[in-house]
Amino acid sequence: MADILTPALGESVTEATIAKWTKKVGDPVKKDELLVELETDKVSLEVVSPADGVLGDIKAAEGDNVVPGTILGSVTEGASAAAPASAPAQAKAAPAAKAETKSAPAAAAPPAAPAAETAIDIMVPVMGESVAEGSVGKWVKKNGDTVKKDELLVEIETDKVAVEVSAPADGVLTIAADEGATVTPNQKIGSISGSGAAAAAPAAAAVAAPAPAAAPANTGSAQVSGAKNETLSPAVQRVVGENNLDPKAIAATGPKGNITKADAIAAIGQAAVSAPAAAAAPAAPRADQPREERVKMTRLRQTIARRLKESQNTAAQLTTFNEVDMTNVMALRAQYKDVFEKRHGVKLGFMSFFTKAVVAALHEIPAVNAEIDGTDIIYKNHYDIGVAVGTDKGLVVPVLRDADTLTLAGIEKGIGALGKAARDGALTMDQMQGGTFTITNGGTYGSLMSTPILNAPQSGILGMHNIVQRPMAINGEVKIRPMMYLALSYDHRIVDGKEAVTFLVRVKELLEDPARALLDL
């Protein structure tokens, strides 16, 4: 008997939904014949038969959520693909088979002998290219606890992302890797034993009747009562449980109408806004809190700290400042924001104007878009702009590829998609590597001025800041204008002061007269 397994779903994709089975239990199948279609929030995948034979059973029904490695069903190998054609002959032989069974009662009583307990290993999943190890986070369950299939057990923390590991079956948990232990992909960190694990293990029994396929397989996931029997993924269960959310009140945007993790996170803010003011509890008195609390840094935070310090120690960093009058950009946005959103389906923000201005300035001052490699300077003829995004786990810098080829709408859509993926923890390694220049916007948090640190090995980073109404001298008159301080940190080993100042002045000019950037002037 050959198991039908959920394949790897791609980097950052942790679960899929059963969209459609193309065969029924008992149907003959050929090796590599399409059996089931899976849907994720990114792509659709096809799962084919692992062998010639007959579809033995279906363990995951249409609409169920599954993770890589989940057993979807099984194929009884060696059964003739022409089984239906020989059905009459088999039917005639059935009485003889029944009589033979009656004459051999000893062979029909294996339950009398206790079977060896079956255990399913809990393995560290693949965590993305170039990620060779991670740390075991806090176990949600204790050793010996009874767990349900797909229930969240532990998170594996890497220097980029946190990967959730769920129970592969119902049963009893045995932990093999303690919290804080360093683990590698495909390493065993525990096991599930018991009746649920035995049921999930490959069986040597004969093909069951097709009746069980009529009922949805029990994935062990929480269900939304009264909402089309929808199941919640482990990641969504965790967000819902920790924030006391009502799943029925969450707007679902996932495949098959499923609630995604992003939907649940978005609902947290809505719940906070709708909560009555009286529900806000006062801060806990100091007497109820310890004077100090020691918490181990996550791998992501350790990596951020290490890379920033390495950047300071390696590059000759210097920062130059200027200020930009945002009057014309703000007027342009106010004039066209509605028609822009209607036409392109995305809001017109400031980042697209800044990205256009930066790319134009990089064309003129190529040293700011270059990097040092030993005694060589590598000049980049492509413009992949990193956009710093703050998340609850730390700062990440996804990369907008080939920004010089994008329109304002393309830039806004690209940045929006990267920001959402960052907040959802769905960024891939490829999306965070290879940038040539970075833009960071501290103004979203109210920063008036800062000196950003280079994102090594890049040679430049632009810091945007808060827009503040200030009195300015305009043609001999004092007028109130919306002003923003700009900061360019650069590597003085490769970028001279003249080039840095010229670059920043060019960005200022293109923002104060945005038509120049649009007309390539």
Side-chain angles (χ1 to χ4, degrees):
M1 183 174 291
D3 288 333
I4 306 165
L5 301 175
T6 304
L9 305 174
E11 293 183 14
S12 81
V13 183
T14 58
E15 66 177 11
T17 302
I18 305 294
K20 178 183 178 182
W21 281 92
T22 62
K23 297 286 184 177
K24 301 187 297 297
V25 171
D27 283 355
V29 296
K30 289 285 189 181
K31 183 178 180 181
D32 296 330
E33 184 177 5
L34 174 63
L35 295 183
V36 62
E37 295 178 356
L38 303 179
E39 290 182 352
T40 75
D41 56 357
K42 297 183 181 297
V43 294
S44 295
L45 299 174
E46 296 181 344
V47 181
V48 299
S49 175
D52 293 345
V54 172
L55 181 58
D57 62 352
I58 293 177
K59 295 183 181 296
E62 294 178 5
D64 286 350
N65 293 329
V66 294
V67 298
T70 299
I71 299 176
L72 305 177
S74 62
V75 172
T76 302
E77 299 179 74
S80 172
S86 61
Q90 291 177 357
K92 292 178 182 178
K98 184 179 293 186
E100 184 178 352
T101 301
K102 289 182 179 179
S103 64
E117 188 179 76
T118 303
I120 295 181
D121 291 339
I122 304 168
M123 311 298 288
V124 177
V126 176
M127 297 173 287
E129 295 181 12
S130 82
V131 180
E133 65 179 20
S135 294
V136 178
K138 181 178 179 60
W139 283 90
V140 178
K141 296 287 186 177
K142 300 188 296 294
N143 205 36
D145 280 358
T146 300
V147 298
K148 289 288 188 180
K149 181 181 177 183
D150 294 333
E151 188 174 5
L152 177 65
L153 297 180
V154 67
E155 279 190 349
I156 306 296
E157 296 179 349
T158 75
D159 56 359
K160 297 290 184 184
V161 293
V163 181
E164 295 182 341
V165 180
S166 303
D170 296 351
V172 177
L173 172 65
T174 299
I175 295 174
D178 295 332
E179 295 175 7
T182 299
V183 292
T184 57
N186 297 318
Q187 177 179 332
K188 177 181 175 180
I189 56 175
S191 61
I192 302 293
S193 60
S195 58
V207 178
N218 178 18
T219 63
S221 300
Q223 293 184 343
V224 183
S225 57
K228 302 179 182 178
N229 198 33
E230 181 183 17
T231 57
L232 303 182
S233 69
V236 175
Q237 290 182 44
R238 182 182 182 192
V239 175
V240 169
E242 290 179 351
N243 296 278
N244 297 318
L245 299 178
D246 179 6
K248 291 182 290 184
I250 301 176
T253 63
K256 294 289 182 180
N258 290 342
I259 297 173
T260 66
K261 184 177 180 181
D263 297 334
I265 292 174
I268 297 174
Q270 296 172 359
V273 171
S274 60
R286 178 181 174 188
D288 295 341
Q289 299 180 7
R291 291 182 65 84
E292 294 180 351
E293 184 177 3
R294 182 181 294 271
V295 179
K296 185 176 178 61
M297 294 171 66
T298 64
R299 279 185 170 257
L300 176 59
R301 177 57 60 187
Q302 293 177 47
T303 300
I304 292 172
R306 185 183 69 251
R307 284 179 54 83
L308 291 178
K309 191 56 185 173
E310 286 175 353
S311 177
Q312 281 188 325
N313 293 342
T314 302
Q317 297 199 41
L318 194 62
T319 304
T320 184
F321 300 93
N322 213 315
E323 60 182 351
V324 57
D325 186 341
M326 297 293 290
T327 298
N328 291 333
V329 169
M330 294 178 71
L332 196 62
R333 285 183 68 231
Q335 182 177 356
Y336 293 108
K337 65 178 182 179
D338 293 336
V339 66
F340 184 91
E341 184 174 3
K342 184 177 180 180
R343 171 71 65 85
H344 300 293
V346 65
K347 292 183 178 180
L348 179 61
F350 290 125
M351 285 301 299
S352 53
F353 290 100
F354 274 85
T355 302
K356 278 285 186 184
V358 161
V359 168
L362 291 174
H363 272 289
E364 295 185 24
I365 315 294
V368 185
N369 200 48
E371 68 178 62
I372 292 178
D373 182 19
T375 58
D376 297 331
I377 297 176
I378 302 175
Y379 289 97
K380 310 292 182 65
N381 295 319
H382 57 98
Y383 302 87
D384 297 338
I385 306 302
V387 181
V389 179
T391 72
D392 57 352
K393 293 183 180 293
L395 184 72
V396 292
V397 187
V399 178
L400 183 67
R401 305 288 178 190
D402 299 315
D404 57 318
T405 66
L406 300 177
T407 62
L408 290 177
I411 293 172
E412 292 291 354
K413 290 178 180 178
I415 292 176
L418 291 172
K420 182 179 185 300
R423 290 185 290 272
D424 293 348
L427 286 173
T428 65
M429 297 296 297
D430 181 64
Q431 289 176 308
M432 292 190 286
Q433 295 176 340
T436 62
F437 184 89
T438 295
I439 301 175
T440 179
N441 186 4
T444 57
Y445 306 108
S447 172
L448 182 64
M449 185 178 290
S450 67
T451 56
I453 299 177
L454 289 173
N455 184 19
Q458 298 171 20
S459 296
I461 179 171
L462 179 71
M464 299 167 55
H465 299 91
N466 200 15
I467 299 174
V468 178
Q469 296 282 341
R470 295 207 307 270
M472 302 296 295
I474 309 295
N475 296 325
E477 298 180 353
V478 176
K479 295 187 177 180
I480 304 299
R481 292 296 179 94
M483 304 298 296
M484 176 193 288
Y485 286 119
L486 299 180
L488 174 70
S489 292
Y490 59 98
D491 189 345
H492 212 343
R493 297 177 302 166
I494 184 174
V495 181
D496 293 332
K498 176 184 176 182
E499 292 173 313
V501 171
T502 302
F503 176 90
L504 200 54
V505 168
R506 184 62 172 147
V507 171
K508 168 185 168 71
E509 292 173 348
L510 292 168
L511 290 169
E512 291 185 338
D513 188 2
R516 297 179 60 139
L518 299 176
L519 297 173
D520 194 22
L521 298 177

